[in-house]
Amino acid sequence: MADALLRLESARTGYGPNDVLHGVSLTVREGEIVTLLGGNGAGKTTTLGVLSGIVGLRQGKVVWEGRDISGQATADRLRQGLVLCPEARRIFARLTVEENLIAGTWVRDPKLNKAKLEKTWERFPILGQRRKQLGGTLSGGEQQMLAIARALMGEPKLLMLDEPSLGLAPLIVEQIFRILVEINAAGTPVLLVEQNAHQALKIAHRAYVLATGEIVREGTGSELLASDEVRRAYLGED
Amino acid sequence: MQTPPNPDSGALLFSQMLEILINGLARGSVYALVALGYTMVYGILGMINFAHGEIFMIGMFAAVFALGAMGSAGLVAVGITLPLAILLAMALSAGFGVMNERIAYRKLRGAHLLAPLTSAIGMSIVLQNFVMLSVTKGKVDFPRAVAQPLANTTWSLGPVQLTALQAVIFATTFALMCGLFWLVQRTRLGIALRAVAQDRTMASLCGMKVDRLIAFAFALGSALAAAAGAMVAMYQGVLRFDSGYMIGLKAFTAAILGGIGNIPGAVLGGLIIGLTEDLTSYTIKSEWKQTTAFAILILVLWLRPRGLLGERVADKV
């Protein structure tokens, strides 16, 4: 088995007097797609916040390629390839598609931008057609593609995504998940936070289930897909 | 009896209009430079920097002192001393702008809108008093040796005269505005500034140092105000610790008129206010110029609350 690329060890954090995460641990290895499932308020977004450095830890640590990076700022983590594509896409509505992508390269060598943009237009032809359009004028699906493409511009060694399927039509969701599989096949591990458990489990190698700030289950994608408990709780099946 | 048609009246009107145009644009382009600072800070923070007029005033004094120092050091070639003085004033005011952000704004970024407003007004009072106590209560003269030759050198533009002083104002403001547009629209740094203005959280997720970019926006706006200050000092010939108040107010008006947060809007607003003032001085009386300028503001805001080029308030530049 490959080495752990990222390890979250007994993470405890919160926003007010109360903790949101009560000792969450998870691992992502090279080559994997790992999904983190859970309902509203389970702590999924907070977990990604801890990993990307926008939420501080009260206890526990973040270990990246064997080194403790708990104290590092977001920009330093980005430089090492830990890239988050956040919830609700957060496209810069009044920057053009191309400018949004360039914003994603802030910590990288700008000399590579031209080649990276060419690659993006190849992978997402629709973004190429709309390169001079303002981000806010794109459809939801196009904005999600732009958000993923912007994250890729940051040259991720691990791509973390927060609910990329949110608010999108089923056909578009399938397309987005296909893109994630392609990105993974091209060598980038993916940590995927989702409420759309069915789709996520189908593409994930491994999965964690988070409930009220604790990991309550973990297993391979197919194990969890077959588990009665998970089916009942997250797939809306009896 | 019929009055014989005056053969000169058409030409006179035309030359008057040209004169108003030149004077108004010179005045307006200075307002525009100052207005850019208001609009940039608003665009990035959603706050009005009420100490901006004082930053302009500090630029005035800095330019005068720099020229004085160079003069007493024997450096007198206006072609060298003037640009150097403007640059020094810009650098000093940029420093004050960054300090202003650090002291009056940074800690209050999440606070209610009235808190930074109050602290900015406090900052404005502090800066005025600082200059009043540390420099002088009275008037300071702009070195005549620099301004006089420029004011006396004139070129004929058809029926009207353009002074070298006005030419310097036009060239400098034009160059600075082009530079700013280029920076904001065409560079990575400009993309980062606009990104911070739109979504600070996402900007920091892109690895941008939000605090530093906000401080940089203050520095840029302050440098532009200082350049304007140097030119107004030269044009008016005298300056005082409270010289920034009225210009600050008018530039603020210009920014609102153009649509606050919108960079071309600030330029447009500045030019309109400048032209209105000169038009009023010629056609009515110069005492009325402020009345008409603010009347136009009220009229525009009545018809178009977001200003001439303003967008929805939620989408800042």
Side-chain angles (χ1 to χ4, degrees):
Chain A
M1 201 179 275
D3 288 338
L5 179 64
L6 174 77
R7 262 197 345 260
L8 183 62
E9 293 179 7
S10 355
R12 189 179 284 277
T13 193
Y15 302 101
N18 301 320
D19 283 350
V20 175
L21 300 184
H22 309 279
V24 171
S25 299
L26 59 81
T27 306
V28 183
R29 302 189 185 87
E30 291 287 2
E32 281 188 319
I33 298 181
V34 174
T35 185
L36 180 61
L37 305 174
N40 274 330
K44 307 188 297 296
T45 298
T46 304
T47 305
L48 289 186
V50 164
L51 292 173
S52 60
I54 49 176
V55 177
L57 272 175
R58 288 176 182 173
Q59 253 176 53
K61 57 184 173 178
V62 182
V63 182
W64 172 254
E65 294 182 313
R67 273 166 299 122
D68 185 351
I69 58 163
S70 312
Q72 285 188 10
T74 305
D76 297 320
R77 298 184 196 201
L78 268 175
R79 244 172 241 119
Q80 297 172 60
L82 196 56
V83 180
L84 171 65
C85 179
E87 195 176 12
R89 306 184 268 275
R90 299 196 96 122
I91 294 304
F92 297 113
R94 301 196 54 217
L95 296 187
T96 65
V97 166
E98 194 169 322
E99 287 169 342
N100 265 282
L101 292 170
I102 289 172
T105 68
W106 186 248
V107 300
R108 298 295 180 203
D109 182 0
K111 283 193 217 90
L112 304 173
N113 282 358
K114 212 169 160 238
K116 283 198 275 186
L117 284 174
E118 287 305 323
K119 227 172 115 186
T120 305
W121 309 144
E122 241 169 70
R123 188 179 242 156
F124 306 99
I126 189 77
L127 296 182
Q129 287 166 29
R130 307 209 187 293
R131 61 196 286 178
K132 297 291 175 202
Q133 234 170 283
L134 293 184
T137 65
L138 302 188
S139 73
E142 289 163 358
Q143 287 193 3
Q144 186 58 58
M145 274 184 223
L146 178 55
I148 293 173
R150 178 177 59 190
L152 292 177
M153 295 293 282
E155 301 168 32
K157 273 195 200 165
L158 169 65
L159 178 60
M160 303 186 285
L161 300 108
D162 197 348
E163 299 211 33
S165 73
L166 195 72
L168 300 181
L171 222 60
I172 311 286
V173 173
E174 256 175 57
Q175 198 184 351
I176 297 290
F177 277 76
R178 255 200 319 275
I179 291 168
L180 296 183
V181 171
E182 281 167 26
I183 290 169
N184 179 249
T188 308
V190 172
L191 174 58
L192 174 64
V193 157
E194 263 299 341
Q195 289 209 43
N196 190 336
H198 194 75
Q199 291 272 7
L201 286 172
K202 276 206 298 197
I203 67 165
H205 300 108
R206 289 189 308 113
Y208 296 88
V209 177
L210 192 64
T212 55
E214 279 170 283
I215 300 284
V216 292
R217 273 208 69 142
E218 62 174 289
T220 65
S222 40
E223 269 169 23
L224 264 69
L225 208 49
S227 137
D228 286 342
E229 188 191 342
V230 172
R231 294 177 79 92
R232 260 200 311 278
Y234 299 102
L235 303 180
E237 293 173 19
D238 293 318
Chain B
M1 206 171 77
Q2 253 188 329
T3 355
N6 180 356
D8 285 344
S9 72
L12 198 69
L13 201 64
F14 179 66
S15 70
Q16 265 181 344
M17 272 166 57
L18 259 183
E19 209 177 324
I20 293 169
L21 195 68
I22 289 176
N23 290 336
L25 287 179
R27 186 193 296 273
S29 56
V30 168
Y31 292 158
L33 272 189
V34 183
L36 284 169
Y38 282 107
T39 233
M40 273 173 22
V41 165
Y42 185 85
I44 211 159
L45 281 183
M47 296 171 186
I48 304 296
N49 178 9
F50 275 108
H52 195 53
E54 275 56 54
I55 300 285
F56 163 93
M57 175 271 293
I58 286 171
M60 288 176 120
F61 276 90
V64 169
F65 288 145
L67 284 170
M70 284 187 272
S72 48
L75 202 58
V76 285
V78 173
I80 299 167
T81 55
L82 188 58
L84 212 56
I86 293 178
L87 284 175
L88 280 170
M90 289 172 78
L92 186 77
S93 281
F96 270 94
V98 169
M99 184 195 74
N100 176 24
E101 190 270 332
R102 205 53 199 262
I103 295 174
Y105 284 93
R106 191 170 293 183
K107 287 265 190 277
L108 297 174
R109 222 176 271 164
H112 186 276
L113 219 60
L114 287 176
L117 189 86
T118 314
S119 73
I121 292 172
M123 189 51 121
S124 145
I125 296 170
V126 167
L127 290 177
Q128 272 198 27
N129 282 280
F130 167 70
V131 171
M132 184 184 82
L133 296 171
S134 69
V135 183
T136 174
K137 256 187 186 164
K139 288 181 171 167
V140 172
D141 289 324
F142 190 88
R144 259 173 249 286
V146 178
Q148 216 57 46
L150 286 172
N152 292 341
T153 311
T154 55
W155 295 290
S156 296
L157 273 188
V160 292
Q161 306 271 308
L162 177 76
T163 67
L165 199 55
Q166 287 170 326
V168 166
I169 292 179
F170 285 133
T172 311
T173 50
F174 188 71
L176 287 173
M177 282 173 197
C178 289
L180 181 73
F181 287 138
W182 174 79
L183 176 75
V184 170
Q185 292 299 329
R186 293 273 175 272
T187 67
R188 276 178 100 223
L189 189 56
I191 290 176
L193 284 171
R194 284 181 286 147
V196 168
Q198 289 177 39
D199 184 344
R200 254 178 260 165
T201 307
M202 189 61 226
S204 56
L205 276 174
C206 288
M208 294 165 186
K209 300 253 193 310
V210 171
D211 281 347
R212 263 198 238 171
L213 286 162
I214 290 176
F216 180 68
F218 271 83
L220 265 183
S222 303
L224 295 180
M231 287 181 290
V232 170
M234 191 161 62
Y235 206 63
Q236 293 181 344
V238 286
L239 47 147
R240 235 171 63 149
F241 66 91
D242 59 358
S243 295
Y245 174 73
M246 215 4 130
I247 294 233
L249 193 58
K250 282 186 197 155
F252 171 57
T253 307
I256 300 270
L257 179 60
I260 191 136
N262 183 302
I263 287 180
V267 175
L268 182 68
L271 295 180
I272 290 176
I273 301 259
L275 282 170
T276 309
E277 287 195 354
D278 270 275
L279 198 62
T280 311
S281 301
Y282 275 80
T283 54
I284 309 173
K285 230 180 165 195
S286 71
E287 284 82 353
W288 282 86
K289 67 183 187 198
Q290 272 148 31
T291 316
T292 48
F294 289 114
I296 287 204
L297 172 75
I298 292 169
L299 194 68
V300 167
L301 289 184
W302 186 29
L303 299 172
R304 235 188 112 77
R306 287 163 201 143
L308 292 171
L309 302 184
E311 322 252 340
R312 284 191 300 117
V313 176
D315 310 328
K316 292 163 289 183
V317 167

